[in-house]
Amino acid sequence: MSDDNREDPNAWAPATRLIRGGMARSNYGEISEPIFLTQSFAYDSAEAADRRFSGEEPGFIYARYGNPTVKMFEDRLALLEGAQACRAAASGMAAIHTALVGLLKAGDHLVASRALFGSCRWIIGQLLPRFGVETTFVDGTDLDAWRAAMRPNTRVCFLESPANPLLEIVDVAAVAQIAHAGGARLVVDNAFASPILQKPLTLGADIVIYSATKHIDGQGRVLGGAILGDEALLEESYKDLIRHTGPALSPFSAWVLLKGMETLELRVMRQSETAARLADLAAGHANVRKVLYPGRADHPQHALAMRQMSAGGTILAFDLGARGAAFRFLNALQIVDISNNLADAKSMAVHPSTTTHRSTPEPERLAIGLTEGFVRLSAGLEAYEDLARDVTRALDEAGRDG
Ligand SMILES: *Cc1c(COP(=O)(O)O)cnc(C)c1O
């Protein structure tokens, strides 16, 4: 077949992209993606090394700059996201740190929604100000607050939607417009939605970030992260930063993540369906005060969620009224694990205010509505009937006197 007749991978549906995208077979014709556990690469001659380093000749130089297995991961994720380019990182936080530092310098200003993963909050609230970057947190659901926070030196707007842990939804397209009108770029942490349910680049974001540890691995094995966007922007903002600071993803982890991607769509769709059913189950239980799930009509931003996401997602949160009830619920679970991870094949529940959001000061926790009665639940791949029985028993238990 001539090259002209080859299928364009951009015409493939997500399921095909996830299995076929980015595959670079070696001369052995292996079916599974090869793992290149190599730090460096040999050159045919001194002249070849010269050309490789000058950029005249394409090819790998050192695994901190790039590696064939890592590149397969980057190419597959870029194809799925519909992004021109992807840069892998060793964890979601390495990706977020690199993404922000690469766009900012002393004297710049950043605006972020305040409902954020604890470590994102720390980078924005504590770390960046140490280097002379001014930062402002806003209520992400309040577009006037975003507008009011913009300053002449605002270079980056940052948000997470749905946000951890209470599934707040931010209008990505509207914030992208506000950012662009002010000469800033919009960076979106899309970990909760996954690339299956939400495409921030098509909504106007400039950079999308993943913790690949979550849905993309999805089976509790490795850490990973990714930054996606236009090639020119990634090259300009991150090439030197990545080369010289070393957030590189391990080739072994990239290989695990490639395997995870083969089942990503199946898992996300099934886990979303289970999460939706568990949200309804919880909403109908007498010991539950409030359920937060973007796919339910009673979620405060339900209409917006359904505009920018193709399903409600794999995670829900509910309020049991007090810490004692939340702890009784968690301690009564027999199938669902108590764990701070999420988007795993194994269902997991956690009490955010004493774990994942412990480092968020209490007034800020209360500002995002995170009271001590809340539990976050990540729906896994177990049979719904078994999960329903486990969750119902634990909800019953939550109501017993401590
Ligand atoms: C887990 C998570 C991260 C951090 O990812 P790691 O891979 O654990 O470093 C960042 N953002 C969100 C929304 C997350 O859930």
PDB file of all heavy atoms in Angstrom, residues 31-68:
ATOM      1  N   ILE A  31       3.785  -7.402  18.518  1.00  0.00           N
ATOM      2  CA  ILE A  31       2.417  -6.898  18.621  1.00  0.00           C
ATOM      3  C   ILE A  31       2.273  -5.944  19.803  1.00  0.00           C
ATOM      4  O   ILE A  31       1.617  -4.918  19.718  1.00  0.00           O
ATOM      5  CB  ILE A  31       1.427  -8.093  18.763  1.00  0.00           C
ATOM      6  CG1 ILE A  31       1.256  -8.793  17.418  1.00  0.00           C
ATOM      7  CG2 ILE A  31       0.074  -7.635  19.310  1.00  0.00           C
ATOM      8  CD1 ILE A  31       0.500  -7.985  16.365  1.00  0.00           C
ATOM      9  N   SER A  32       2.885  -6.294  20.928  1.00  0.00           N
ATOM     10  CA  SER A  32       2.836  -5.411  22.092  1.00  0.00           C
ATOM     11  C   SER A  32       3.858  -4.290  21.897  1.00  0.00           C
ATOM     12  O   SER A  32       4.930  -4.509  21.321  1.00  0.00           O
ATOM     13  CB  SER A  32       3.174  -6.215  23.347  1.00  0.00           C
ATOM     14  OG  SER A  32       3.435  -5.349  24.426  1.00  0.00           O
ATOM     15  N   GLU A  33       3.529  -3.101  22.403  1.00  0.00           N
ATOM     16  CA  GLU A  33       4.452  -1.973  22.308  1.00  0.00           C
ATOM     17  C   GLU A  33       5.775  -2.355  22.976  1.00  0.00           C
ATOM     18  O   GLU A  33       5.781  -2.813  24.122  1.00  0.00           O
ATOM     19  CB  GLU A  33       3.861  -0.738  23.008  1.00  0.00           C
ATOM     20  CG  GLU A  33       2.647  -0.148  22.317  1.00  0.00           C
ATOM     21  CD  GLU A  33       1.367  -0.958  22.510  1.00  0.00           C
ATOM     22  OE1 GLU A  33       1.387  -1.950  23.273  1.00  0.00           O
ATOM     23  OE2 GLU A  33       0.364  -0.603  21.878  1.00  0.00           O
ATOM     24  N   PRO A  34       6.914  -2.157  22.301  1.00  0.00           N
ATOM     25  CA  PRO A  34       8.204  -2.500  22.918  1.00  0.00           C
ATOM     26  C   PRO A  34       8.578  -1.523  24.044  1.00  0.00           C
ATOM     27  O   PRO A  34       8.293  -0.334  23.937  1.00  0.00           O
ATOM     28  CB  PRO A  34       9.193  -2.390  21.756  1.00  0.00           C
ATOM     29  CG  PRO A  34       8.543  -1.495  20.761  1.00  0.00           C
ATOM     30  CD  PRO A  34       7.061  -1.645  20.918  1.00  0.00           C
ATOM     31  N   ILE A  35       9.208  -2.055  25.107  1.00  0.00           N
ATOM     32  CA  ILE A  35       9.726  -1.181  26.170  1.00  0.00           C
ATOM     33  C   ILE A  35      11.197  -0.949  25.878  1.00  0.00           C
ATOM     34  O   ILE A  35      11.974  -1.904  25.866  1.00  0.00           O
ATOM     35  CB  ILE A  35       9.707  -1.823  27.575  1.00  0.00           C
ATOM     36  CG1 ILE A  35       8.413  -2.545  27.852  1.00  0.00           C
ATOM     37  CG2 ILE A  35       9.989  -0.785  28.642  1.00  0.00           C
ATOM     38  CD1 ILE A  35       8.371  -3.135  29.256  1.00  0.00           C
ATOM     39  N   PHE A  36      11.562   0.290  25.666  1.00  0.00           N
ATOM     40  CA  PHE A  36      12.974   0.638  25.476  1.00  0.00           C
ATOM     41  C   PHE A  36      13.525   1.140  26.804  1.00  0.00           C
ATOM     42  O   PHE A  36      13.508   2.339  27.079  1.00  0.00           O
ATOM     43  CB  PHE A  36      13.119   1.705  24.385  1.00  0.00           C
ATOM     44  CG  PHE A  36      12.825   1.171  23.005  1.00  0.00           C
ATOM     45  CD1 PHE A  36      11.556   1.273  22.451  1.00  0.00           C
ATOM     46  CD2 PHE A  36      13.827   0.548  22.273  1.00  0.00           C
ATOM     47  CE1 PHE A  36      11.288   0.778  21.184  1.00  0.00           C
ATOM     48  CE2 PHE A  36      13.563   0.050  21.002  1.00  0.00           C
ATOM     49  CZ  PHE A  36      12.287   0.153  20.453  1.00  0.00           C
ATOM     50  N   LEU A  37      13.990   0.193  27.644  1.00  0.00           N
ATOM     51  CA  LEU A  37      14.562   0.588  28.931  1.00  0.00           C
ATOM     52  C   LEU A  37      16.010   0.981  28.688  1.00  0.00           C
ATOM     53  O   LEU A  37      16.931   0.250  29.034  1.00  0.00           O
ATOM     54  CB  LEU A  37      14.459  -0.565  29.923  1.00  0.00           C
ATOM     55  CG  LEU A  37      13.165  -0.641  30.729  1.00  0.00           C
ATOM     56  CD1 LEU A  37      13.175  -1.823  31.681  1.00  0.00           C
ATOM     57  CD2 LEU A  37      12.925   0.651  31.517  1.00  0.00           C
ATOM     58  N   THR A  38      16.176   2.110  28.048  1.00  0.00           N
ATOM     59  CA  THR A  38      17.530   2.602  27.771  1.00  0.00           C
ATOM     60  C   THR A  38      17.601   4.088  28.088  1.00  0.00           C
ATOM     61  O   THR A  38      16.691   4.844  27.752  1.00  0.00           O
ATOM     62  CB  THR A  38      17.941   2.319  26.308  1.00  0.00           C
ATOM     63  OG1 THR A  38      19.275   2.759  26.108  1.00  0.00           O
ATOM     64  CG2 THR A  38      17.032   3.005  25.298  1.00  0.00           C
ATOM     65  N   GLN A  39      18.704   4.469  28.755  1.00  0.00           N
ATOM     66  CA  GLN A  39      18.867   5.881  29.114  1.00  0.00           C
ATOM     67  C   GLN A  39      19.403   6.679  27.942  1.00  0.00           C
ATOM     68  O   GLN A  39      19.081   7.830  27.764  1.00  0.00           O
ATOM     69  CB  GLN A  39      19.874   6.022  30.265  1.00  0.00           C
ATOM     70  CG  GLN A  39      19.468   5.294  31.515  1.00  0.00           C
ATOM     71  CD  GLN A  39      20.666   4.994  32.379  1.00  0.00           C
ATOM     72  OE1 GLN A  39      21.791   4.918  31.909  1.00  0.00           O
ATOM     73  NE2 GLN A  39      20.422   4.817  33.666  1.00  0.00           N
ATOM     74  N   SER A  40      20.300   6.016  27.170  1.00  0.00           N
ATOM     75  CA  SER A  40      20.948   6.788  26.120  1.00  0.00           C
ATOM     76  C   SER A  40      20.994   5.995  24.822  1.00  0.00           C
ATOM     77  O   SER A  40      20.502   4.863  24.759  1.00  0.00           O
ATOM     78  CB  SER A  40      22.342   7.237  26.563  1.00  0.00           C
ATOM     79  OG  SER A  40      23.010   6.166  27.189  1.00  0.00           O
ATOM     80  N   PHE A  41      21.549   6.575  23.794  1.00  0.00           N
ATOM     81  CA  PHE A  41      21.492   6.041  22.435  1.00  0.00           C
ATOM     82  C   PHE A  41      22.874   6.188  21.800  1.00  0.00           C
ATOM     83  O   PHE A  41      23.580   7.159  22.082  1.00  0.00           O
ATOM     84  CB  PHE A  41      20.409   6.785  21.643  1.00  0.00           C
ATOM     85  CG  PHE A  41      19.061   6.693  22.315  1.00  0.00           C
ATOM     86  CD1 PHE A  41      18.714   7.571  23.332  1.00  0.00           C
ATOM     87  CD2 PHE A  41      18.182   5.677  21.985  1.00  0.00           C
ATOM     88  CE1 PHE A  41      17.499   7.455  24.008  1.00  0.00           C
ATOM     89  CE2 PHE A  41      16.960   5.554  22.654  1.00  0.00           C
ATOM     90  CZ  PHE A  41      16.624   6.446  23.664  1.00  0.00           C
ATOM     91  N   ALA A  42      23.257   5.225  20.961  1.00  0.00           N
ATOM     92  CA  ALA A  42      24.574   5.280  20.319  1.00  0.00           C
ATOM     93  C   ALA A  42      24.434   5.839  18.900  1.00  0.00           C
ATOM     94  O   ALA A  42      23.395   5.667  18.258  1.00  0.00           O
ATOM     95  CB  ALA A  42      25.184   3.884  20.277  1.00  0.00           C
ATOM     96  N   TYR A  43      25.468   6.490  18.432  1.00  0.00           N
ATOM     97  CA  TYR A  43      25.459   7.111  17.100  1.00  0.00           C
ATOM     98  C   TYR A  43      26.437   6.367  16.187  1.00  0.00           C
ATOM     99  O   TYR A  43      27.452   5.852  16.651  1.00  0.00           O
ATOM    100  CB  TYR A  43      25.844   8.589  17.209  1.00  0.00           C
ATOM    101  CG  TYR A  43      25.099   9.279  18.326  1.00  0.00           C
ATOM    102  CD1 TYR A  43      25.694   9.493  19.567  1.00  0.00           C
ATOM    103  CD2 TYR A  43      23.763   9.635  18.163  1.00  0.00           C
ATOM    104  CE1 TYR A  43      24.990  10.067  20.614  1.00  0.00           C
ATOM    105  CE2 TYR A  43      23.052  10.220  19.212  1.00  0.00           C
ATOM    106  CZ  TYR A  43      23.662  10.428  20.437  1.00  0.00           C
ATOM    107  OH  TYR A  43      22.962  10.981  21.473  1.00  0.00           O
ATOM    108  N   ASP A  44      26.134   6.337  14.898  1.00  0.00           N
ATOM    109  CA  ASP A  44      26.985   5.632  13.944  1.00  0.00           C
ATOM    110  C   ASP A  44      28.354   6.280  13.789  1.00  0.00           C
ATOM    111  O   ASP A  44      29.314   5.630  13.404  1.00  0.00           O
ATOM    112  CB  ASP A  44      26.305   5.578  12.567  1.00  0.00           C
ATOM    113  CG  ASP A  44      25.099   4.637  12.601  1.00  0.00           C
ATOM    114  OD1 ASP A  44      25.064   3.766  13.508  1.00  0.00           O
ATOM    115  OD2 ASP A  44      24.203   4.783  11.748  1.00  0.00           O
ATOM    116  N   SER A  45      28.425   7.569  14.032  1.00  0.00           N
ATOM    117  CA  SER A  45      29.696   8.269  13.847  1.00  0.00           C
ATOM    118  C   SER A  45      29.656   9.552  14.670  1.00  0.00           C
ATOM    119  O   SER A  45      28.586   9.980  15.132  1.00  0.00           O
ATOM    120  CB  SER A  45      29.871   8.650  12.370  1.00  0.00           C
ATOM    121  OG  SER A  45      28.850   9.566  11.997  1.00  0.00           O
ATOM    122  N   ALA A  46      30.815  10.160  14.823  1.00  0.00           N
ATOM    123  CA  ALA A  46      30.889  11.450  15.520  1.00  0.00           C
ATOM    124  C   ALA A  46      30.068  12.490  14.767  1.00  0.00           C
ATOM    125  O   ALA A  46      29.401  13.331  15.369  1.00  0.00           O
ATOM    126  CB  ALA A  46      32.344  11.893  15.635  1.00  0.00           C
ATOM    127  N   GLU A  47      30.084  12.394  13.440  1.00  0.00           N
ATOM    128  CA  GLU A  47      29.316  13.345  12.624  1.00  0.00           C
ATOM    129  C   GLU A  47      27.816  13.173  12.881  1.00  0.00           C
ATOM    130  O   GLU A  47      27.063  14.144  12.948  1.00  0.00           O
ATOM    131  CB  GLU A  47      29.605  13.135  11.127  1.00  0.00           C
ATOM    132  CG  GLU A  47      30.987  13.555  10.676  1.00  0.00           C
ATOM    133  CD  GLU A  47      32.087  12.545  11.039  1.00  0.00           C
ATOM    134  OE1 GLU A  47      31.765  11.421  11.506  1.00  0.00           O
ATOM    135  OE2 GLU A  47      33.267  12.899  10.872  1.00  0.00           O
ATOM    136  N   ALA A  48      27.405  11.897  13.032  1.00  0.00           N
ATOM    137  CA  ALA A  48      25.984  11.636  13.291  1.00  0.00           C
ATOM    138  C   ALA A  48      25.580  12.222  14.640  1.00  0.00           C
ATOM    139  O   ALA A  48      24.493  12.814  14.772  1.00  0.00           O
ATOM    140  CB  ALA A  48      25.700  10.135  13.249  1.00  0.00           C
ATOM    141  N   ALA A  49      26.460  12.074  15.653  1.00  0.00           N
ATOM    142  CA  ALA A  49      26.166  12.651  16.968  1.00  0.00           C
ATOM    143  C   ALA A  49      26.045  14.171  16.858  1.00  0.00           C
ATOM    144  O   ALA A  49      25.138  14.785  17.430  1.00  0.00           O
ATOM    145  CB  ALA A  49      27.259  12.270  17.972  1.00  0.00           C
ATOM    146  N   ASP A  50      26.947  14.763  16.095  1.00  0.00           N
ATOM    147  CA  ASP A  50      26.927  16.210  15.865  1.00  0.00           C
ATOM    148  C   ASP A  50      25.583  16.628  15.268  1.00  0.00           C
ATOM    149  O   ASP A  50      24.921  17.555  15.738  1.00  0.00           O
ATOM    150  CB  ASP A  50      28.105  16.537  14.922  1.00  0.00           C
ATOM    151  CG  ASP A  50      28.184  18.020  14.575  1.00  0.00           C
ATOM    152  OD1 ASP A  50      27.529  18.823  15.264  1.00  0.00           O
ATOM    153  OD2 ASP A  50      28.897  18.366  13.605  1.00  0.00           O
ATOM    154  N   ARG A  51      25.159  15.885  14.226  1.00  0.00           N
ATOM    155  CA  ARG A  51      23.890  16.226  13.556  1.00  0.00           C
ATOM    156  C   ARG A  51      22.699  16.038  14.500  1.00  0.00           C
ATOM    157  O   ARG A  51      21.753  16.820  14.493  1.00  0.00           O
ATOM    158  CB  ARG A  51      23.708  15.350  12.310  1.00  0.00           C
ATOM    159  CG  ARG A  51      24.625  15.719  11.137  1.00  0.00           C
ATOM    160  CD  ARG A  51      24.144  15.067   9.843  1.00  0.00           C
ATOM    161  NE  ARG A  51      24.122  13.613   9.914  1.00  0.00           N
ATOM    162  CZ  ARG A  51      25.179  12.818   9.689  1.00  0.00           C
ATOM    163  NH1 ARG A  51      26.353  13.353   9.379  1.00  0.00           N
ATOM    164  NH2 ARG A  51      25.076  11.510   9.759  1.00  0.00           N
ATOM    165  N   ARG A  52      22.734  14.968  15.303  1.00  0.00           N
ATOM    166  CA  ARG A  52      21.640  14.693  16.242  1.00  0.00           C
ATOM    167  C   ARG A  52      21.522  15.834  17.253  1.00  0.00           C
ATOM    168  O   ARG A  52      20.435  16.325  17.539  1.00  0.00           O
ATOM    169  CB  ARG A  52      21.931  13.355  16.943  1.00  0.00           C
ATOM    170  CG  ARG A  52      20.772  12.699  17.665  1.00  0.00           C
ATOM    171  CD  ARG A  52      19.736  12.056  16.766  1.00  0.00           C
ATOM    172  NE  ARG A  52      20.161  10.933  15.969  1.00  0.00           N
ATOM    173  CZ  ARG A  52      20.229   9.663  16.388  1.00  0.00           C
ATOM    174  NH1 ARG A  52      19.920   9.350  17.614  1.00  0.00           N
ATOM    175  NH2 ARG A  52      20.584   8.701  15.561  1.00  0.00           N
ATOM    176  N   PHE A  53      22.667  16.264  17.800  1.00  0.00           N
ATOM    177  CA  PHE A  53      22.637  17.323  18.812  1.00  0.00           C
ATOM    178  C   PHE A  53      22.238  18.669  18.221  1.00  0.00           C
ATOM    179  O   PHE A  53      21.627  19.494  18.884  1.00  0.00           O
ATOM    180  CB  PHE A  53      23.997  17.423  19.530  1.00  0.00           C
ATOM    181  CG  PHE A  53      24.074  16.541  20.742  1.00  0.00           C
ATOM    182  CD1 PHE A  53      24.242  15.165  20.616  1.00  0.00           C
ATOM    183  CD2 PHE A  53      23.950  17.075  22.022  1.00  0.00           C
ATOM    184  CE1 PHE A  53      24.297  14.347  21.739  1.00  0.00           C
ATOM    185  CE2 PHE A  53      24.001  16.261  23.150  1.00  0.00           C
ATOM    186  CZ  PHE A  53      24.179  14.895  23.007  1.00  0.00           C
ATOM    187  N   SER A  54      22.607  18.914  16.959  1.00  0.00           N
ATOM    188  CA  SER A  54      22.261  20.202  16.346  1.00  0.00           C
ATOM    189  C   SER A  54      20.790  20.255  15.949  1.00  0.00           C
ATOM    190  O   SER A  54      20.267  21.309  15.633  1.00  0.00           O
ATOM    191  CB  SER A  54      23.126  20.429  15.102  1.00  0.00           C
ATOM    192  OG  SER A  54      22.660  19.593  14.047  1.00  0.00           O
ATOM    193  N   GLY A  55      20.129  19.079  15.972  1.00  0.00           N
ATOM    194  CA  GLY A  55      18.725  19.041  15.588  1.00  0.00           C
ATOM    195  C   GLY A  55      18.543  18.830  14.095  1.00  0.00           C
ATOM    196  O   GLY A  55      17.419  18.727  13.595  1.00  0.00           O
ATOM    197  N   GLU A  56      19.653  18.759  13.369  1.00  0.00           N
ATOM    198  CA  GLU A  56      19.625  18.564  11.913  1.00  0.00           C
ATOM    199  C   GLU A  56      19.043  17.191  11.571  1.00  0.00           C
ATOM    200  O   GLU A  56      18.377  17.016  10.557  1.00  0.00           O
ATOM    201  CB  GLU A  56      21.087  18.605  11.451  1.00  0.00           C
ATOM    202  CG  GLU A  56      21.385  19.066  10.074  1.00  0.00           C
ATOM    203  CD  GLU A  56      22.921  18.990   9.914  1.00  0.00           C
ATOM    204  OE1 GLU A  56      23.643  19.561  10.773  1.00  0.00           O
ATOM    205  OE2 GLU A  56      23.350  18.331   8.972  1.00  0.00           O
ATOM    206  N   GLU A  57      19.360  16.204  12.430  1.00  0.00           N
ATOM    207  CA  GLU A  57      18.906  14.840  12.179  1.00  0.00           C
ATOM    208  C   GLU A  57      17.993  14.432  13.338  1.00  0.00           C
ATOM    209  O   GLU A  57      18.362  14.601  14.495  1.00  0.00           O
ATOM    210  CB  GLU A  57      20.137  13.919  12.143  1.00  0.00           C
ATOM    211  CG  GLU A  57      19.819  12.467  11.944  1.00  0.00           C
ATOM    212  CD  GLU A  57      21.104  11.623  12.050  1.00  0.00           C
ATOM    213  OE1 GLU A  57      21.969  11.740  11.167  1.00  0.00           O
ATOM    214  OE2 GLU A  57      21.235  10.878  13.034  1.00  0.00           O
ATOM    215  N   PRO A  58      16.783  13.934  13.032  1.00  0.00           N
ATOM    216  CA  PRO A  58      15.891  13.556  14.128  1.00  0.00           C
ATOM    217  C   PRO A  58      16.411  12.290  14.818  1.00  0.00           C
ATOM    218  O   PRO A  58      17.174  11.524  14.222  1.00  0.00           O
ATOM    219  CB  PRO A  58      14.560  13.283  13.424  1.00  0.00           C
ATOM    220  CG  PRO A  58      14.926  12.920  12.023  1.00  0.00           C
ATOM    221  CD  PRO A  58      16.206  13.636  11.708  1.00  0.00           C
ATOM    222  N   GLY A  59      15.997  12.083  16.049  1.00  0.00           N
ATOM    223  CA  GLY A  59      16.395  10.868  16.751  1.00  0.00           C
ATOM    224  C   GLY A  59      16.576  11.140  18.223  1.00  0.00           C
ATOM    225  O   GLY A  59      16.576  12.298  18.663  1.00  0.00           O
ATOM    226  N   PHE A  60      16.699  10.064  18.973  1.00  0.00           N
ATOM    227  CA  PHE A  60      16.797  10.192  20.426  1.00  0.00           C
ATOM    228  C   PHE A  60      18.237  10.438  20.860  1.00  0.00           C
ATOM    229  O   PHE A  60      19.181  10.002  20.198  1.00  0.00           O
ATOM    230  CB  PHE A  60      16.226   8.934  21.090  1.00  0.00           C
ATOM    231  CG  PHE A  60      14.754   8.789  20.821  1.00  0.00           C
ATOM    232  CD1 PHE A  60      14.290   7.944  19.808  1.00  0.00           C
ATOM    233  CD2 PHE A  60      13.831   9.534  21.537  1.00  0.00           C
ATOM    234  CE1 PHE A  60      12.942   7.841  19.539  1.00  0.00           C
ATOM    235  CE2 PHE A  60      12.474   9.430  21.271  1.00  0.00           C
ATOM    236  CZ  PHE A  60      12.030   8.582  20.272  1.00  0.00           C
ATOM    237  N   ILE A  61      18.390  11.136  21.987  1.00  0.00           N
ATOM    238  CA  ILE A  61      19.700  11.545  22.490  1.00  0.00           C
ATOM    239  C   ILE A  61      19.930  11.005  23.899  1.00  0.00           C
ATOM    240  O   ILE A  61      20.966  10.453  24.211  1.00  0.00           O
ATOM    241  CB  ILE A  61      19.790  13.089  22.486  1.00  0.00           C
ATOM    242  CG1 ILE A  61      19.803  13.600  21.036  1.00  0.00           C
ATOM    243  CG2 ILE A  61      21.005  13.572  23.272  1.00  0.00           C
ATOM    244  CD1 ILE A  61      19.777  15.106  20.901  1.00  0.00           C
ATOM    245  N   TYR A  62      18.906  11.184  24.738  1.00  0.00           N
ATOM    246  CA  TYR A  62      19.030  10.846  26.151  1.00  0.00           C
ATOM    247  C   TYR A  62      17.606  10.766  26.695  1.00  0.00           C
ATOM    248  O   TYR A  62      16.755  11.551  26.295  1.00  0.00           O
ATOM    249  CB  TYR A  62      19.840  11.952  26.858  1.00  0.00           C
ATOM    250  CG  TYR A  62      20.265  11.627  28.269  1.00  0.00           C
ATOM    251  CD1 TYR A  62      21.067  10.517  28.547  1.00  0.00           C
ATOM    252  CD2 TYR A  62      19.862  12.428  29.332  1.00  0.00           C
ATOM    253  CE1 TYR A  62      21.445  10.228  29.843  1.00  0.00           C
ATOM    254  CE2 TYR A  62      20.250  12.147  30.633  1.00  0.00           C
ATOM    255  CZ  TYR A  62      21.040  11.042  30.883  1.00  0.00           C
ATOM    256  OH  TYR A  62      21.416  10.753  32.162  1.00  0.00           O
ATOM    257  N   ALA A  63      17.363   9.810  27.599  1.00  0.00           N
ATOM    258  CA  ALA A  63      15.974   9.576  28.017  1.00  0.00           C
ATOM    259  C   ALA A  63      15.368  10.754  28.782  1.00  0.00           C
ATOM    260  O   ALA A  63      14.149  10.839  28.909  1.00  0.00           O
ATOM    261  CB  ALA A  63      15.878   8.293  28.828  1.00  0.00           C
ATOM    262  N   ARG A  64      16.197  11.657  29.293  1.00  0.00           N
ATOM    263  CA  ARG A  64      15.616  12.855  29.920  1.00  0.00           C
ATOM    264  C   ARG A  64      14.977  13.744  28.854  1.00  0.00           C
ATOM    265  O   ARG A  64      14.049  14.508  29.126  1.00  0.00           O
ATOM    266  CB  ARG A  64      16.684  13.606  30.730  1.00  0.00           C
ATOM    267  CG  ARG A  64      16.221  14.882  31.343  1.00  0.00           C
ATOM    268  CD  ARG A  64      16.917  15.289  32.655  1.00  0.00           C
ATOM    269  NE  ARG A  64      18.320  14.979  32.741  1.00  0.00           N
ATOM    270  CZ  ARG A  64      19.314  15.683  32.172  1.00  0.00           C
ATOM    271  NH1 ARG A  64      19.045  16.745  31.444  1.00  0.00           N
ATOM    272  NH2 ARG A  64      20.572  15.320  32.326  1.00  0.00           N
ATOM    273  N   TYR A  65      15.467  13.660  27.612  1.00  0.00           N
ATOM    274  CA  TYR A  65      14.909  14.451  26.500  1.00  0.00           C
ATOM    275  C   TYR A  65      13.780  13.698  25.797  1.00  0.00           C
ATOM    276  O   TYR A  65      12.853  14.294  25.261  1.00  0.00           O
ATOM    277  CB  TYR A  65      15.968  14.743  25.449  1.00  0.00           C
ATOM    278  CG  TYR A  65      17.197  15.497  25.889  1.00  0.00           C
ATOM    279  CD1 TYR A  65      17.406  15.838  27.216  1.00  0.00           C
ATOM    280  CD2 TYR A  65      18.138  15.877  24.947  1.00  0.00           C
ATOM    281  CE1 TYR A  65      18.560  16.529  27.589  1.00  0.00           C
ATOM    282  CE2 TYR A  65      19.282  16.572  25.317  1.00  0.00           C
ATOM    283  CZ  TYR A  65      19.491  16.882  26.638  1.00  0.00           C
ATOM    284  OH  TYR A  65      20.616  17.564  26.988  1.00  0.00           O
ATOM    285  N   GLY A  66      13.903  12.365  25.747  1.00  0.00           N
ATOM    286  CA  GLY A  66      12.891  11.583  25.030  1.00  0.00           C
ATOM    287  C   GLY A  66      13.330  10.144  24.918  1.00  0.00           C
ATOM    288  O   GLY A  66      14.515   9.830  25.043  1.00  0.00           O
ATOM    289  N   ASN A  67      12.352   9.264  24.708  1.00  0.00           N
ATOM    290  CA  ASN A  67      12.610   7.826  24.661  1.00  0.00           C
ATOM    291  C   ASN A  67      11.520   7.222  23.769  1.00  0.00           C
ATOM    292  O   ASN A  67      10.382   7.699  23.788  1.00  0.00           O
ATOM    293  CB  ASN A  67      12.530   7.286  26.108  1.00  0.00           C
ATOM    294  CG  ASN A  67      12.459   5.779  26.179  1.00  0.00           C
ATOM    295  OD1 ASN A  67      11.419   5.177  25.926  1.00  0.00           O
ATOM    296  ND2 ASN A  67      13.571   5.157  26.525  1.00  0.00           N
ATOM    297  N   PRO A  68      11.831   6.188  22.990  1.00  0.00           N
ATOM    298  CA  PRO A  68      10.831   5.681  22.043  1.00  0.00           C
ATOM    299  C   PRO A  68       9.527   5.200  22.686  1.00  0.00           C
ATOM    300  O   PRO A  68       8.442   5.440  22.128  1.00  0.00           O
ATOM    301  CB  PRO A  68      11.555   4.510  21.357  1.00  0.00           C
ATOM    302  CG  PRO A  68      13.022   4.765  21.567  1.00  0.00           C
ATOM    303  CD  PRO A  68      13.145   5.524  22.845  1.00  0.00           C
TER     304      PRO A  68
END
